[in-house]
Amino acid sequence: IYNNKIKNLSKKNFKNKLKIKIDNLKYDYKIKNTNDKIIFIFGRPIIEEAVNFDGVLEKIKDFNSTKEINGEFLIIQFDLKLKKLIVINDRFGSIPFYYFTHKNKFYGSISYIDILNQLSINKILKIDEYKVYEFLRFQRIFNNKNYDTKSYALMAYNKLEYINKKIICKKYWKPCFKEGNKKILWIHISNPCK
């Protein structure tokens, strides 16, 4: 489904440079508009133990407050004033986000098939044989690379910024596995192994 509302926003604010397509999306999503930002919130972000889409807008203003968002989410923000794209995912990378750049364009999707199609259309698709072997051997791919040589996956608890043709990824949260961590201890006690 191509959302006409989004299409009109892209024509008005981005002079046909932004193309957004939402097909067969299995995640809930909300679109928030401010004077200088368009924000897509996918999934179910939780703030203070409740799903709270409006609270997300406040939390993403400050990089350090981003770690207070829980739940399954992917946030995509277009800053019209700064001409900057920001993508933030949850602590587990529950909603995947794949991306690459080519000829000063940024391509991103929650579907790796879309990325492969765009790589093919741009005639730059090349399979990374090492990564295919890595998947066959370990049943997963380590780090942020994919099965091709050009695209990446946004790792869990990361904030990606695309500005001035540069990609910057920053971790906004660190997991804590200390024995004294009360949250982990509580989970362990309330869910004993049988």
Side-chain angles (χ1 to χ4, degrees):
I1 299 168
Y2 195 83
N3 189 322
N4 288 331
K5 185 176 179 185
I6 298 170
K7 183 178 177 181
N8 293 337
L9 282 172
S10 68
K11 282 184 180 178
K12 181 179 176 187
N13 296 322
F14 293 96
K15 299 176 185 167
N16 293 324
K17 292 185 179 181
L18 173 67
K19 294 179 183 170
I20 299 171
K21 187 176 178 185
I22 299 176
D23 284 334
N24 302 323
L25 195 61
K26 64 180 181 176
Y27 305 104
D28 291 340
Y29 71 95
K30 300 279 184 202
I31 302 168
K32 302 285 184 177
N33 291 302
T34 64
N35 291 338
D36 59 348
K37 294 181 177 104
I38 301 170
I39 302 167
F40 295 82
I41 305 168
F42 298 93
R44 304 191 77 36
I46 297 172
I47 298 173
E48 297 178 8
E49 300 183 22
V51 174
N52 186 342
F53 288 97
D54 293 325
V56 167
L57 300 177
E58 286 302 312
K59 296 296 181 191
I60 63 174
K61 285 181 184 176
D62 176 31
F63 181 73
N64 292 323
S65 295
T66 305
K67 63 185 170 195
E68 296 173 23
I69 307 171
N70 292 308
E72 175 186 81
F73 64 86
L74 179 71
I75 301 164
I76 301 174
Q77 174 182 301
F78 301 98
D79 189 316
L80 306 174
K81 205 183 271 185
L82 299 175
K83 296 180 182 171
K84 176 166 71 169
L85 167 71
I86 296 172
V87 181
I88 304 168
N89 65 354
D90 63 56
R91 295 175 188 170
F92 299 101
S94 303
I95 302 174
F97 186 77
Y98 306 99
Y99 63 93
F100 73 97
T101 59
H102 179 64
K103 294 186 178 178
N104 299 323
K105 291 182 182 175
F106 181 92
Y107 297 84
S109 179
I110 61 172
S111 169
Y112 185 59
I113 296 296
D114 289 343
I115 294 297
L116 289 175
N117 287 337
Q118 285 300 318
L119 289 168
S120 182
I121 288 167
N122 285 295
K123 298 182 174 138
I124 56 171
L125 175 61
K126 184 178 176 195
I127 301 301
D128 185 336
E129 294 167 0
Y130 177 77
K131 288 297 175 183
V132 172
Y133 171 77
E134 186 175 285
F135 177 77
L136 293 172
R137 173 101 165 113
F138 300 107
Q139 297 182 1
R140 66 170 294 193
I141 293 180
F142 297 98
N143 69 35
N144 66 343
K145 289 296 290 168
N146 291 320
Y147 302 104
D148 63 89
T149 58
K150 292 280 186 190
S151 73
Y152 299 90
L154 184 61
M155 300 298 285
Y157 50 89
N158 262 281
K159 177 180 181 180
L160 176 148
E161 293 182 4
Y162 180 70
I163 187 168
N164 297 328
K165 302 172 190 168
K166 293 180 186 174
I167 295 174
I168 301 165
C169 287
K170 300 176 191 172
K171 293 191 181 306
Y172 64 83
W173 180 78
K174 288 184 181 179
C176 179
F177 300 106
K178 292 180 183 174
E179 192 173 319
N181 186 341
K182 291 179 184 177
K183 286 183 181 177
I184 292 177
L185 186 60
W186 179 82
I187 291 168
H188 176 71
I189 291 170
S190 64
N191 298 315
C193 299
K194 293 180 181 180

